[in-house]
PDB file of all heavy atoms in Angstrom:
ATOM      1  N   PHE A  96    -149.019 -85.996  27.410  1.00 95.00           N
ATOM      2  CA  PHE A  96    -149.110 -84.693  26.769  1.00 95.00           C
ATOM      3  C   PHE A  96    -149.412 -84.917  25.294  1.00 95.00           C
ATOM      4  O   PHE A  96    -148.753 -85.733  24.633  1.00 95.00           O
ATOM      5  CB  PHE A  96    -147.800 -83.920  26.929  1.00 95.00           C
ATOM      6  CG  PHE A  96    -147.370 -83.821  28.366  1.00 95.00           C
ATOM      7  CD1 PHE A  96    -146.538 -84.780  28.922  1.00 95.00           C
ATOM      8  CD2 PHE A  96    -147.824 -82.792  29.163  1.00 95.00           C
ATOM      9  CE1 PHE A  96    -146.137 -84.708  30.245  1.00 95.00           C
ATOM     10  CE2 PHE A  96    -147.441 -82.711  30.503  1.00 95.00           C
ATOM     11  CZ  PHE A  96    -146.596 -83.670  31.041  1.00 95.00           C
ATOM     12  N   THR A  97    -150.404 -84.202  24.791  1.00 95.00           N
ATOM     13  CA  THR A  97    -150.796 -84.401  23.404  1.00 95.00           C
ATOM     14  C   THR A  97    -150.935 -83.069  22.683  1.00 95.00           C
ATOM     15  O   THR A  97    -151.187 -82.037  23.309  1.00 95.00           O
ATOM     16  CB  THR A  97    -152.117 -85.206  23.327  1.00 95.00           C
ATOM     17  OG1 THR A  97    -152.385 -85.556  21.974  1.00 95.00           O
ATOM     18  CG2 THR A  97    -153.282 -84.436  23.912  1.00 95.00           C
ATOM     19  N   THR A  98    -150.745 -83.119  21.380  1.00 96.00           N
ATOM     20  CA  THR A  98    -150.988 -81.965  20.524  1.00 96.00           C
ATOM     21  C   THR A  98    -151.677 -82.464  19.267  1.00 96.00           C
ATOM     22  O   THR A  98    -151.332 -83.527  18.745  1.00 96.00           O
ATOM     23  CB  THR A  98    -149.677 -81.214  20.193  1.00 96.00           C
ATOM     24  OG1 THR A  98    -149.982 -80.047  19.415  1.00 96.00           O
ATOM     25  CG2 THR A  98    -148.681 -82.065  19.431  1.00 96.00           C
ATOM     26  N   GLU A  99    -152.674 -81.737  18.829  1.00 96.00           N
ATOM     27  CA  GLU A  99    -153.392 -82.092  17.599  1.00 96.00           C
ATOM     28  C   GLU A  99    -152.850 -81.238  16.470  1.00 96.00           C
ATOM     29  O   GLU A  99    -152.930 -80.010  16.516  1.00 96.00           O
ATOM     30  CB  GLU A  99    -154.898 -81.876  17.787  1.00 96.00           C
ATOM     31  CG  GLU A  99    -155.721 -82.373  16.615  1.00 96.00           C
ATOM     32  CD  GLU A  99    -157.203 -82.384  16.919  1.00 96.00           C
ATOM     33  OE1 GLU A  99    -157.634 -83.147  17.818  1.00 96.00           O
ATOM     34  OE2 GLU A  99    -157.936 -81.621  16.261  1.00 96.00           O
ATOM     35  N   LEU A 100    -152.277 -81.882  15.470  1.00 97.00           N
ATOM     36  CA  LEU A 100    -151.689 -81.175  14.338  1.00 97.00           C
ATOM     37  C   LEU A 100    -152.763 -80.769  13.333  1.00 97.00           C
ATOM     38  O   LEU A 100    -152.803 -79.623  12.896  1.00 97.00           O
ATOM     39  CB  LEU A 100    -150.629 -82.052  13.668  1.00 97.00           C
ATOM     40  CG  LEU A 100    -149.503 -82.541  14.580  1.00 97.00           C
ATOM     41  CD1 LEU A 100    -148.606 -83.519  13.847  1.00 97.00           C
ATOM     42  CD2 LEU A 100    -148.705 -81.377  15.127  1.00 97.00           C
ATOM     43  N   LEU A 101    -153.598 -81.739  12.941  1.00 97.00           N
ATOM     44  CA  LEU A 101    -154.722 -81.509  12.035  1.00 97.00           C
ATOM     45  C   LEU A 101    -155.984 -81.972  12.733  1.00 97.00           C
ATOM     46  O   LEU A 101    -155.964 -83.007  13.409  1.00 97.00           O
ATOM     47  CB  LEU A 101    -154.581 -82.360  10.761  1.00 97.00           C
ATOM     48  CG  LEU A 101    -153.963 -81.764   9.509  1.00 97.00           C
ATOM     49  CD1 LEU A 101    -152.500 -81.485   9.735  1.00 97.00           C
ATOM     50  CD2 LEU A 101    -154.157 -82.695   8.345  1.00 97.00           C
ATOM     51  N   GLY A 102    -157.069 -81.250  12.533  1.00 97.00           N
ATOM     52  CA  GLY A 102    -158.333 -81.698  13.094  1.00 97.00           C
ATOM     53  C   GLY A 102    -159.201 -80.541  13.529  1.00 97.00           C
ATOM     54  O   GLY A 102    -158.804 -79.373  13.423  1.00 97.00           O
ATOM     55  N   PRO A 103    -160.381 -80.858  14.054  1.00 96.00           N
ATOM     56  CA  PRO A 103    -161.274 -79.805  14.519  1.00 96.00           C
ATOM     57  C   PRO A 103    -160.643 -78.904  15.578  1.00 96.00           C
ATOM     58  O   PRO A 103    -160.964 -77.723  15.657  1.00 96.00           O
ATOM     59  CB  PRO A 103    -162.464 -80.583  15.095  1.00 96.00           C
ATOM     60  CG  PRO A 103    -162.431 -81.904  14.402  1.00 96.00           C
ATOM     61  CD  PRO A 103    -160.982 -82.189  14.153  1.00 96.00           C
ATOM     62  N   ASP A 104    -159.751 -79.460  16.382  1.00 94.00           N
ATOM     63  CA  ASP A 104    -159.091 -78.697  17.442  1.00 94.00           C
ATOM     64  C   ASP A 104    -157.599 -78.515  17.174  1.00 94.00           C
ATOM     65  O   ASP A 104    -156.846 -78.180  18.085  1.00 94.00           O
ATOM     66  CB  ASP A 104    -159.273 -79.417  18.791  1.00 94.00           C
ATOM     67  CG  ASP A 104    -160.735 -79.669  19.109  1.00 94.00           C
ATOM     68  OD1 ASP A 104    -161.528 -78.718  19.018  1.00 94.00           O
ATOM     69  OD2 ASP A 104    -161.087 -80.827  19.416  1.00 94.00           O
ATOM     70  N   GLY A 105    -157.171 -78.741  15.944  1.00 96.00           N
ATOM     71  CA  GLY A 105    -155.752 -78.793  15.626  1.00 96.00           C
ATOM     72  C   GLY A 105    -155.134 -77.484  15.193  1.00 96.00           C
ATOM     73  O   GLY A 105    -155.815 -76.468  14.992  1.00 96.00           O
ATOM     74  N   HIS A 106    -153.815 -77.530  15.037  1.00 96.00           N
ATOM     75  CA  HIS A 106    -153.089 -76.374  14.501  1.00 96.00           C
ATOM     76  C   HIS A 106    -153.561 -76.042  13.091  1.00 96.00           C
ATOM     77  O   HIS A 106    -153.597 -74.877  12.704  1.00 96.00           O
ATOM     78  CB  HIS A 106    -151.581 -76.645  14.484  1.00 96.00           C
ATOM     79  CG  HIS A 106    -150.947 -76.588  15.842  1.00 96.00           C
ATOM     80  ND1 HIS A 106    -150.866 -75.436  16.573  1.00 96.00           N
ATOM     81  CD2 HIS A 106    -150.362 -77.547  16.603  1.00 96.00           C
ATOM     82  CE1 HIS A 106    -150.247 -75.672  17.726  1.00 96.00           C
ATOM     83  NE2 HIS A 106    -149.942 -76.950  17.770  1.00 96.00           N
ATOM     84  N   ILE A 107    -153.886 -77.057  12.314  1.00 97.00           N
ATOM     85  CA  ILE A 107    -154.460 -76.878  10.978  1.00 97.00           C
ATOM     86  C   ILE A 107    -155.889 -77.406  11.038  1.00 97.00           C
ATOM     87  O   ILE A 107    -156.096 -78.583  11.371  1.00 97.00           O
ATOM     88  CB  ILE A 107    -153.660 -77.642   9.898  1.00 97.00           C
ATOM     89  CG1 ILE A 107    -152.189 -77.223   9.904  1.00 97.00           C
ATOM     90  CG2 ILE A 107    -154.286 -77.445   8.524  1.00 97.00           C
ATOM     91  CD1 ILE A 107    -151.902 -75.817   9.487  1.00 97.00           C
ATOM     92  N   PRO A 108    -156.881 -76.590  10.739  1.00 96.00           N
ATOM     93  CA  PRO A 108    -158.269 -77.057  10.810  1.00 96.00           C
ATOM     94  C   PRO A 108    -158.546 -78.173   9.797  1.00 96.00           C
ATOM     95  O   PRO A 108    -158.101 -78.117   8.649  1.00 96.00           O
ATOM     96  CB  PRO A 108    -159.087 -75.806  10.457  1.00 96.00           C
ATOM     97  CG  PRO A 108    -158.168 -74.649  10.680  1.00 96.00           C
ATOM     98  CD  PRO A 108    -156.786 -75.160  10.395  1.00 96.00           C
ATOM     99  N   ALA A 109    -159.261 -79.186  10.240  1.00 96.00           N
ATOM    100  CA  ALA A 109    -159.733 -80.280   9.379  1.00 96.00           C
ATOM    101  C   ALA A 109    -160.971 -80.856  10.036  1.00 96.00           C
ATOM    102  O   ALA A 109    -161.008 -81.009  11.264  1.00 96.00           O
ATOM    103  CB  ALA A 109    -158.654 -81.346   9.208  1.00 96.00           C
ATOM    104  N   GLU A 110    -161.968 -81.191   9.254  1.00 94.00           N
ATOM    105  CA  GLU A 110    -163.236 -81.668   9.806  1.00 94.00           C
ATOM    106  C   GLU A 110    -163.407 -83.181   9.722  1.00 94.00           C
ATOM    107  O   GLU A 110    -164.263 -83.730  10.395  1.00 94.00           O
ATOM    108  CB  GLU A 110    -164.406 -80.983   9.093  1.00 94.00           C
ATOM    109  CG  GLU A 110    -164.454 -79.485   9.306  1.00 94.00           C
ATOM    110  CD  GLU A 110    -164.508 -79.093  10.777  1.00 94.00           C
ATOM    111  OE1 GLU A 110    -165.235 -79.754  11.544  1.00 94.00           O
ATOM    112  OE2 GLU A 110    -163.819 -78.131  11.153  1.00 94.00           O
ATOM    113  N   ASP A 111    -162.591 -83.869   8.914  1.00 95.00           N
ATOM    114  CA  ASP A 111    -162.846 -85.289   8.667  1.00 95.00           C
ATOM    115  C   ASP A 111    -161.851 -86.236   9.327  1.00 95.00           C
ATOM    116  O   ASP A 111    -161.946 -87.452   9.155  1.00 95.00           O
ATOM    117  CB  ASP A 111    -162.905 -85.563   7.168  1.00 95.00           C
ATOM    118  CG  ASP A 111    -161.643 -85.121   6.437  1.00 95.00           C
ATOM    119  OD1 ASP A 111    -160.805 -84.427   7.049  1.00 95.00           O
ATOM    120  OD2 ASP A 111    -161.499 -85.474   5.254  1.00 95.00           O
ATOM    121  N   LEU A 112    -160.899 -85.707  10.093  1.00 97.00           N
ATOM    122  CA  LEU A 112    -159.948 -86.551  10.798  1.00 97.00           C
ATOM    123  C   LEU A 112    -159.228 -85.736  11.862  1.00 97.00           C
ATOM    124  O   LEU A 112    -159.305 -84.509  11.887  1.00 97.00           O
ATOM    125  CB  LEU A 112    -158.929 -87.178   9.853  1.00 97.00           C
ATOM    126  CG  LEU A 112    -157.707 -86.321   9.456  1.00 97.00           C
ATOM    127  CD1 LEU A 112    -156.637 -87.216   8.892  1.00 97.00           C
ATOM    128  CD2 LEU A 112    -158.073 -85.264   8.454  1.00 97.00           C
ATOM    129  N   ARG A 113    -158.511 -86.455  12.725  1.00 97.00           N
ATOM    130  CA  ARG A 113    -157.614 -85.854  13.701  1.00 97.00           C
ATOM    131  C   ARG A 113    -156.272 -86.553  13.561  1.00 97.00           C
ATOM    132  O   ARG A 113    -156.220 -87.777  13.443  1.00 97.00           O
ATOM    133  CB  ARG A 113    -158.121 -86.048  15.126  1.00 97.00           C
ATOM    134  CG  ARG A 113    -159.426 -85.358  15.465  1.00 97.00           C
ATOM    135  CD  ARG A 113    -159.833 -85.650  16.910  1.00 97.00           C
ATOM    136  NE  ARG A 113    -161.151 -85.157  17.230  1.00 97.00           N
ATOM    137  CZ  ARG A 113    -161.425 -83.932  17.673  1.00 97.00           C
ATOM    138  NH1 ARG A 113    -160.434 -83.060  17.846  1.00 97.00           N
ATOM    139  NH2 ARG A 113    -162.663 -83.568  17.952  1.00 97.00           N
ATOM    140  N   VAL A 114    -155.193 -85.784  13.576  1.00 98.00           N
ATOM    141  CA  VAL A 114    -153.835 -86.336  13.564  1.00 98.00           C
ATOM    142  C   VAL A 114    -153.026 -85.554  14.589  1.00 98.00           C
ATOM    143  O   VAL A 114    -153.089 -84.316  14.621  1.00 98.00           O
ATOM    144  CB  VAL A 114    -153.161 -86.219  12.176  1.00 98.00           C
ATOM    145  CG1 VAL A 114    -151.746 -86.790  12.218  1.00 98.00           C
ATOM    146  CG2 VAL A 114    -153.987 -86.906  11.097  1.00 98.00           C
ATOM    147  N   GLY A 115    -152.287 -86.271  15.429  1.00 98.00           N
ATOM    148  CA  GLY A 115    -151.511 -85.579  16.437  1.00 98.00           C
ATOM    149  C   GLY A 115    -150.363 -86.398  16.962  1.00 98.00           C
ATOM    150  O   GLY A 115    -150.000 -87.438  16.404  1.00 98.00           O
ATOM    151  N   LEU A 116    -149.783 -85.910  18.039  1.00 98.00           N
ATOM    152  CA  LEU A 116    -148.655 -86.553  18.712  1.00 98.00           C
ATOM    153  C   LEU A 116    -149.002 -86.716  20.184  1.00 98.00           C
ATOM    154  O   LEU A 116    -149.751 -85.921  20.748  1.00 98.00           O
ATOM    155  CB  LEU A 116    -147.401 -85.690  18.590  1.00 98.00           C
ATOM    156  CG  LEU A 116    -146.914 -85.352  17.191  1.00 98.00           C
ATOM    157  CD1 LEU A 116    -145.839 -84.262  17.249  1.00 98.00           C
ATOM    158  CD2 LEU A 116    -146.369 -86.590  16.498  1.00 98.00           C
ATOM    159  N   LEU A 117    -148.423 -87.728  20.796  1.00 97.00           N
ATOM    160  CA  LEU A 117    -148.559 -87.931  22.236  1.00 97.00           C
ATOM    161  C   LEU A 117    -147.211 -88.350  22.788  1.00 97.00           C
ATOM    162  O   LEU A 117    -146.544 -89.212  22.208  1.00 97.00           O
ATOM    163  CB  LEU A 117    -149.603 -89.003  22.555  1.00 97.00           C
ATOM    164  CG  LEU A 117    -149.787 -89.275  24.054  1.00 97.00           C
ATOM    165  CD1 LEU A 117    -151.279 -89.381  24.397  1.00 97.00           C
ATOM    166  CD2 LEU A 117    -149.078 -90.545  24.478  1.00 97.00           C
ATOM    167  N   VAL A 118    -146.817 -87.715  23.889  1.00 97.00           N
ATOM    168  CA  VAL A 118    -145.604 -88.117  24.594  1.00 97.00           C
ATOM    169  C   VAL A 118    -146.007 -88.464  26.027  1.00 97.00           C
ATOM    170  O   VAL A 118    -146.845 -87.789  26.626  1.00 97.00           O
ATOM    171  CB  VAL A 118    -144.508 -87.016  24.537  1.00 97.00           C
ATOM    172  CG1 VAL A 118    -144.946 -85.741  25.227  1.00 97.00           C
ATOM    173  CG2 VAL A 118    -143.193 -87.525  25.086  1.00 97.00           C
ATOM    174  N   SER A 119    -145.438 -89.555  26.513  1.00 97.00           N
ATOM    175  CA  SER A 119    -145.824 -90.081  27.820  1.00 97.00           C
ATOM    176  C   SER A 119    -144.585 -90.356  28.658  1.00 97.00           C
ATOM    177  O   SER A 119    -143.556 -90.803  28.150  1.00 97.00           O
ATOM    178  CB  SER A 119    -146.614 -91.383  27.618  1.00 97.00           C
ATOM    179  OG  SER A 119    -146.927 -91.972  28.848  1.00 97.00           O
ATOM    180  N   GLU A 120    -144.714 -90.104  29.950  1.00 97.00           N
ATOM    181  CA  GLU A 120    -143.626 -90.396  30.877  1.00 97.00           C
ATOM    182  C   GLU A 120    -143.446 -91.908  31.027  1.00 97.00           C
ATOM    183  O   GLU A 120    -144.371 -92.678  30.762  1.00 97.00           O
ATOM    184  CB  GLU A 120    -143.926 -89.769  32.235  1.00 97.00           C
ATOM    185  CG  GLU A 120    -143.924 -88.257  32.206  1.00 97.00           C
ATOM    186  CD  GLU A 120    -144.198 -87.648  33.568  1.00 97.00           C
ATOM    187  OE1 GLU A 120    -144.203 -88.393  34.580  1.00 97.00           O
ATOM    188  OE2 GLU A 120    -144.399 -86.424  33.635  1.00 97.00           O
TER     189      GLU A 120
END
Side-chain angles (χ1 to χ4, degrees):
F96 306 91
T97 188
T98 183
E99 187 170 296
L100 304 174
L101 264 68
D104 305 310
H106 286 294
I107 304 293
E110 296 303 319
D111 56 349
L112 83 163
R113 295 179 187 272
V114 179
L116 302 168
L117 179 136
V118 63
S119 176
E120 293 181 10

